[in-house]
Amino acid sequence: MVRGRISRLHVHDVRFPTSLGGHGSDAMHTDPDYSAAYVVIETDARDGLQGCGLTFTLGKGTEVVVCAVNALAHHVLQKDLRDIVGDFRGFYRQLTSDGQLRWIGPEKGVVHLATAAILNAVWDLWAKQEGKPLWKLLVDMDARTLLSCIDFRYITDVLTEEEAYEILQKGQVGKKEREEQMLMHGYPAYTTSCAWLGYSDSTLKQMMDANQRWDVPEAVQWMSKLAEFKPLWIEEPTSPDDILGHAAISKALAPLGIGVATGEQCHNRVIFKQLLQAHALQFLQIDSCRLGSVNENLSVLLMAKKFGIPVCPHAGGVGLCELVQHLIIFDYISVSTSLQDRMCEYVDHLHEHFKYPVIIRRASYLPPKDAGYSTEMKEESVKKYQYPDGEVWKLLVLKKTER
């Protein structure tokens, strides 16, 4: 039962010095410190439950996201959780349509990252109060209730609420069996870290990521030369904002049997809508923190189903694996109903800092059983890695000054 008025919102700048070991570095992000703007909301309910949410960052700039969270906090404080989830679409739109903050969005950039962190905390609290892991909360939810969480503004030209309802109704067939399958076998995972020795060389060769490095002609030229290795896809071949560029690359590589995968830096559902309309991708990569939390990711999952495009989420970083596993498990059980050409990214970093870390068995995500969104970090980790006053960062500053 949903209950409680939100009485407090805390936001922490939590950073891990992963740049020291080069972890997570790529062509465009050469020295990332995996970090998060970590939000904790409390209510006046006597259950003592907290909602925990985060958005992933790479170190510098996390303080800006923290500022954005604080700027949005007034929309959340003193609101009854029952009222929020009772009109989740309206609450989502209230956050994303703030009359002044919208100017530095809208629905993208720092403000949208902050929105995701806050809403992830709300979803975590809702699932905890219902005593269910988030994926199960979504799977068990009445279709109309679930759709009432989605803002369909700007996407009704490709997906109406009624069409989404029909998708969910069709997803009822075989739903129980798919849930049992997930509980027994889990959702297929893949890794972008070559340290995972369980993968064969041929599997590793299929995973190519350009990290937005190339211009359009350059991407086509390079992938044409690499076609003999039969890669499954080229990931983020050019600017994430270049929809027509992705479409041109997709068209050029189709005869070679190479797909285009993108989405981890797509701002919102509108960009995904256009990528789908332009046939610009063959694999869609949602991100649980780049988009506006569960609410917006639900709309993208439903659009992907309508267009017949497999979803292969982006994960890794701080907490992304913990979050996105819920979305992709729900997608299989209730929306896509298929595992064909589908897998979820996994990176074995920083899970030890979470109270309910992911469980991987036989290269598959096992569905979480603990209530919530798996977003709750250990208190000692938050305290130790909080920037700039945490023990780890004080020590690093001391070492730097001693040189």
Side-chain angles (χ1 to χ4, degrees):
M1 180 179 177
V2 183
R3 58 196 172 274
R5 186 176 296 275
I6 297 175
S7 55
R8 296 187 70 184
L9 184 153
H10 313 267
V11 57
H12 306 270
D13 183 338
V14 182
R15 306 188 191 184
F16 300 92
T18 53
S19 62
L20 297 178
H23 304 302
S25 58
D26 60 49
M28 293 296 283
H29 312 96
T30 56
D31 60 344
D33 283 327
Y34 277 3
S35 309
Y38 179 63
V39 172
V40 179
I41 58 176
E42 301 175 3
T43 74
D44 58 9
R46 295 182 179 180
D47 55 25
L49 295 175
Q50 296 179 330
C52 304
L54 59 84
T55 199
F56 173 59
T57 55
L58 293 184
K60 294 176 184 176
T62 308
E63 70 275 15
V64 183
V65 183
V66 167
C67 287
V69 169
N70 287 323
L72 288 167
H74 69 96
H75 291 290
V76 184
L77 291 171
Q78 303 308 315
K79 295 288 175 61
D80 194 294
L81 187 62
R82 184 184 294 106
D83 293 337
I84 290 175
V85 302
D87 181 22
F88 219 151
R89 179 184 300 164
F91 182 71
Y92 176 89
R93 189 173 290 188
Q94 181 182 343
L95 281 178
T96 58
S97 300
D98 182 290
Q100 296 182 8
L101 292 175
R102 188 178 188 275
W103 188 256
I104 55 173
E107 295 186 70
K108 56 179 172 284
V110 171
V111 175
H112 214 43
L113 292 173
T115 298
I118 292 171
L119 290 175
N120 284 341
V122 172
W123 279 99
D124 180 59
L125 182 57
W126 186 7
K128 284 176 177 174
Q129 288 197 352
E130 296 291 348
K132 297 178 179 181
L134 181 85
W135 68 265
K136 182 63 171 170
L137 176 70
L138 296 173
V139 165
D140 291 347
M141 199 177 291
D142 170 78
R144 290 296 184 192
T145 302
L146 187 140
L147 294 176
S148 72
C149 300
I150 299 173
D151 188 353
F152 284 89
R153 182 169 55 176
Y154 308 138
I155 63 171
T156 54
D157 51 329
V158 300
L159 182 73
T160 66
E161 186 168 346
E162 285 307 309
E163 288 176 314
Y165 179 77
E166 291 176 9
I167 290 172
L168 292 174
Q169 288 301 102
K170 290 178 181 178
Q172 292 293 320
V173 179
K175 185 175 175 180
K176 181 180 178 182
E177 290 75 16
R178 289 190 297 277
E179 182 173 340
E180 291 174 351
Q181 180 184 357
M182 283 291 98
L183 290 169
M184 183 174 296
H185 301 292
Y187 197 96
Y190 78 97
T191 183
T192 48
S193 170
C194 293
W196 192 333
L197 299 179
Y199 275 111
S200 66
D201 290 344
S202 61
T203 299
L204 289 174
K205 287 177 182 176
Q206 287 185 319
M207 304 308 169
M208 292 188 178
D209 190 345
N211 289 112
Q212 314 155 38
R213 189 71 178 182
W214 295 325
D215 282 347
V216 173
E218 192 177 12
V220 174
Q221 181 182 11
W222 272 108
M223 293 311 299
S224 297
K225 292 179 179 179
L226 293 168
E228 63 178 291
F229 299 104
K230 302 185 187 306
L232 179 64
W233 69 48
I234 175 59
E235 183 174 336
E236 288 195 300
T238 192
S239 165
D241 297 343
D242 190 353
I243 296 160
L244 296 182
H246 276 87
I249 295 169
S250 177
K251 183 178 180 180
L253 298 184
L256 303 175
I258 303 172
V260 170
T262 194
E264 71 179 72
Q265 295 211 23
C266 282
H267 305 299
N268 50 49
R269 63 197 181 280
V270 179
I271 297 292
F272 276 115
K273 179 190 77 169
Q274 293 180 55
L275 285 166
L276 290 165
Q277 286 175 309
H279 307 288
L281 77 175
Q282 286 70 50
F283 300 92
L284 188 151
Q285 297 176 307
I286 58 170
D287 184 286
S288 52
C289 298
R290 178 70 61 178
L291 294 181
S293 188
V294 179
N295 312 69
E296 192 167 31
N297 271 296
L298 290 174
S299 69
V300 176
L301 293 175
L302 288 160
M303 284 193 290
K305 170 63 176 179
K306 180 178 176 181
F307 280 84
I309 297 296
V311 176
C312 300
H314 170 242
V318 179
L320 295 185
C321 296
E322 276 72 20
L323 277 82
V324 82
Q325 60 179 333
H326 292 270
L327 301 177
I328 202 63
I329 290 169
F330 160 75
D331 179 60
Y332 170 65
I333 295 172
S334 298
V335 181
S336 73
T337 72
S338 172
L339 292 178
Q340 181 69 36
D341 294 327
R342 297 163 197 269
M343 50 194 151
C344 185
E345 184 178 13
Y346 172 77
V347 176
D348 192 16
H349 288 148
L350 306 174
H351 303 294
E352 67 273 15
H353 300 292
F354 286 84
K355 191 172 181 180
Y356 309 109
V358 296
I359 298 175
I360 296 286
R361 185 178 300 163
R362 295 181 180 177
S364 294
Y365 281 90
L366 293 188
K369 294 183 179 179
D370 295 290
Y373 200 1
S374 304
T375 42
E376 186 170 347
M377 297 184 74
K378 295 177 180 177
E379 289 184 14
E380 57 268 31
S381 291
V382 174
K383 185 177 180 181
K384 187 175 181 180
Y385 290 93
Q386 184 158 299
Y387 185 86
D389 300 322
E391 174 188 334
V392 168
W393 290 104
K394 283 184 177 180
L395 183 61
L396 285 172
V397 170
L398 180 62
K399 287 182 177 179
K400 188 174 182 180
T401 56
E402 289 177 345
R403 291 174 183 172

